[in-house]
Amino acid sequence: MIDLSGKVALVTGSSRGIGRACALRLAEAGADIIVNFVTSGREADAVAAEIAALGRRVACVRADVSQEEDVDDMIGFVRESFGRLDVLVHNAATGGFRPLAATSQRHFDAAMHTNVLSLVHLLKSATPLLEVGPARGKVVVLSSHGTHMALPMYGLIGGTKAALTSLARHWALELGDRGVNVNIVEAGLVETDSTRRLPGAAEMFAGRTTKTMVGQRQLEATDVADAVLFLSSPLSDLVQGQTLVVDGGAAIHI
Ligand SMILES: NC(=O)c1ccc[n+]([C@@H]2O[C@H](COP(=O)([O-])OP(=O)(O)OC[C@H]3O[C@@H](n4cnc5c(N)ncnc54)[C@H](OP(=O)(O)O)[C@@H]3O)[C@@H](O)[C@H]2O)c1
């Protein structure tokens, strides 16, 4: 069993969706949690209440991960209030679903800053906490099939996820000998607030089991969180710079 008692985990974008599931799963495993959000304060408070009910220490921090100052303030708060950081799950993302031909510079900059540059802000700020031994620090980054597949209306987000995945591998190279693991979870389609806005979402959700190889079981945020938990634990100490695909086998099915 994975036991993260005494550890502290920060999950970016954990007010909703997959981030929320990750925060709860890490708390169930014993970790104290920092819930990060940018607009959904009420939802973040509700997640924090669930975590507190598990007997864990929890704090909500409003920080826009695309902004270096916000990230520095958030990590400073973690240092002062919790005194350590063992796990960083970078889940927050934005982008909007539209054709690339309708993508403006403003859309591009917002998605690149929130989904990609954020990892630079986060790890520049958090590495001094994550690298403190003896246990290895853990960074888990949420990515998607858009890194290597072409999906309708997904060009901008897919492009940012490809960049994010590459960046995560390079962070693994830079931080591995300093006691930090950086790995990636690539999730298949999960029904969340964001994917419900995808054009044709209902048909996509309904058609998921034709490509997966796990019977009628549908991929849920909690399945993704289970993979994140593994990569946040000492069981994955020798897994470095890798992508763990959690999609029920959909990506290898012709
Ligand atoms: N859902 C899927 O099918 C799927 C598949 C593969 C990969 N993923 C990846 O999994 C992650 C979560 O996806 P999701 O579907 O759960 O997303 P979601 O429901 O849209 O939730 C996004 C979360 O990110 C936060 N966020 C957005 N911009 C932020 C910013 N600038 N600073 C801080 N927090 C910010 C949001 O906070 P507020 O609530 O405060 O706005 C929210 O908590 C993303 O990285 C996504 O690309 C999702």
Side-chain angles (χ1 to χ4, degrees):
M1 185 184 120
I2 293 172
D3 182 6
L4 299 185
S5 301
K7 307 228 177 204
V8 173
L10 163 63
V11 184
T12 68
S14 44
S15 46
R16 299 184 278 122
I18 292 172
R20 172 183 177 278
C22 292
L24 288 168
R25 184 60 92 235
L26 293 166
E28 283 161 4
D32 295 333
I33 305 289
I34 296 96
V35 175
N36 161 245
F37 69 100
V38 67
T39 55
S40 305
R42 243 198 329 249
E43 288 85 346
D45 286 343
V47 177
E50 284 188 71
I51 291 168
L54 293 168
R56 307 291 169 256
R57 205 174 152 209
V58 62
C60 291
V61 179
R62 189 202 166 280
D64 180 342
V65 293
S66 70
Q67 302 299 313
E68 188 165 22
E69 206 179 311
D70 275 23
V71 169
D72 286 346
D73 287 350
M74 174 165 67
I75 301 299
F77 168 82
V78 173
R79 187 186 311 107
E80 275 152 40
S81 301
F82 288 79
R84 60 188 291 162
L85 182 65
D86 305 279
V87 176
L88 168 61
V89 180
H90 186 27
N91 162 86
T94 192
F97 303 114
R98 63 178 67 80
L100 283 170
T103 299
S104 67
Q105 167 116 28
R106 188 175 55 80
H107 296 140
F108 184 87
D109 289 347
M112 284 301 277
H113 289 169
T114 300
N115 302 358
V116 185
L117 181 60
S118 51
L119 188 66
V120 177
H121 296 330
L122 284 160
L123 289 186
K124 276 172 72 179
S125 198
T127 296
L129 288 173
L130 289 164
E131 69 184 349
V132 176
R136 296 186 66 80
K138 301 287 180 173
V139 178
V140 186
V141 172
L142 269 295
S143 193
S144 74
H145 291 339
T147 57
H148 50 89
M149 294 169 103
L151 308 168
M153 307 287 176
Y154 198 76
L156 177 58
I157 303 178
T160 64
K161 291 296 182 182
L164 177 67
T165 298
S166 176
L167 217 57
R169 285 197 205 103
H170 287 86
W171 273 114
L173 174 71
E174 291 191 21
L175 299 184
D177 289 342
R178 293 169 61 179
V180 181
N181 288 58
V182 184
N183 288 294
I184 301 134
V185 168
E186 186 177 306
L189 182 64
V190 176
E191 188 171 346
T192 63
D193 290 349
S194 68
T195 52
R196 275 188 281 273
R197 288 197 297 269
L198 259 165
E203 295 75 39
M204 285 176 69
F205 294 137
R208 279 185 296 174
T209 52
T210 57
K211 280 213 132 192
T212 56
M213 305 175 204
V214 289
Q216 290 306 303
R217 196 170 154 185
Q218 303 275 3
L219 183 69
E220 307 281 354
T222 48
D223 299 307
V224 181
D226 285 339
V228 168
L229 174 62
F230 165 67
L231 291 173
S232 302
S233 80
L235 294 180
S236 60
D237 276 358
L238 270 287
V239 182
Q240 182 64 292
Q242 298 300 313
T243 298
L244 178 51
V245 179
V246 185
D247 70 346
I252 62 160
H253 193 169
I254 293 179

